[in-house]
Amino acid sequence: MRGLFVTFEGIDRSGKTTQAALLCRALGDVAVGVREPGGTPAGERMRAILKDPELELSPQAEALLFAAARAELVHWVIRPALEAGRVVVSDRFLDSSIAYQGAARGLGEEEIERINRVATGGLAPDLTLLLELDTAAAAARGGEDDRFEREGAGLQHQVAAAYDRLAGAEPGRWRRIPADREAEAVHAEVLEAVETARRALA
């Protein structure tokens, strides 16, 4: 049985990291948890640059750094795990770049997809879980003090709109999950969606 590639998407503070961790715990040894950017030695260094609130990056440099970190993660971690039949659980993937750099930064969604063709080698998630949360509710939650969160609600509104378009365009891959609930309630719906996807691959 081939592996399953599951990604979490959503605006900042929507609960992606929490839900990815809960899913990995529920799946046990079959799960391989990764995060973007990061997950490899080179990727973690790029993450530090991208998250640094004291650095000012051009949208183009930002997009290319995300793509470079993604290329490392796909090559060294994601593809080997999928080939071994594991369930890869990723806290963000290419859709984040399409939403943040393509839509919110104005680089264009098609341009971001073009940049990432080499990075991903055409790899796409089997299931993408969109954690939907109002931007005001998300802002009230605690989170990292990084470059993206410092930009405030305007950026998050643009990102949320982009995710809505992406999910609407590819409903077979995306599953919308309301994230304005207790973590365990969200997790139950996440787990149900993942188990359904696993059965479909069996």
Side-chain angles (χ1 to χ4, degrees), residues 55-198:
L55 282 179
E56 184 175 355
L57 296 172
S58 68
Q60 293 83 357
E62 190 177 275
L64 290 167
L65 280 168
F66 272 111
R70 184 169 295 126
E72 286 289 282
L73 189 62
V74 168
H75 179 82
W76 296 110
V77 183
I78 296 177
R79 282 198 185 277
L82 292 175
E83 289 167 4
R86 310 284 292 277
V87 178
V88 176
V89 178
S90 186
D91 182 351
R92 297 194 182 280
F93 194 61
L94 173 56
D95 295 299
S96 281
S97 286
I98 293 173
Y100 280 79
Q101 286 76 47
R105 300 288 195 226
L107 294 181
E109 296 179 16
E110 291 183 0
E111 183 69 2
I112 295 302
E113 289 178 346
R114 185 187 67 80
I115 289 170
N116 279 274
R117 285 195 193 108
V118 173
T120 66
L123 179 66
D126 298 297
L127 173 66
T128 297
L129 301 159
L130 177 58
L131 301 184
E132 295 190 306
L133 186 65
D134 178 80
T135 54
R141 295 180 172 182
E144 294 180 77
D145 180 28
D146 63 29
R147 290 177 55 251
F148 300 97
E149 298 207 10
R150 282 192 178 185
E151 292 188 47
L155 175 68
Q156 299 304 318
H157 280 299
Q158 291 176 295
V159 168
Y163 278 134
D164 185 60
R165 290 195 304 273
L166 291 168
E170 203 175 349
R173 171 166 69 91
W174 291 76
R175 170 78 175 264
R176 299 174 186 264
I177 297 182
D180 58 345
R181 300 172 288 168
E182 292 295 326
E184 285 302 327
V186 176
H187 170 62
E189 193 167 341
V190 164
L191 191 57
E192 183 273 329
V194 171
E195 292 299 349
T196 297
R198 291 182 77 187

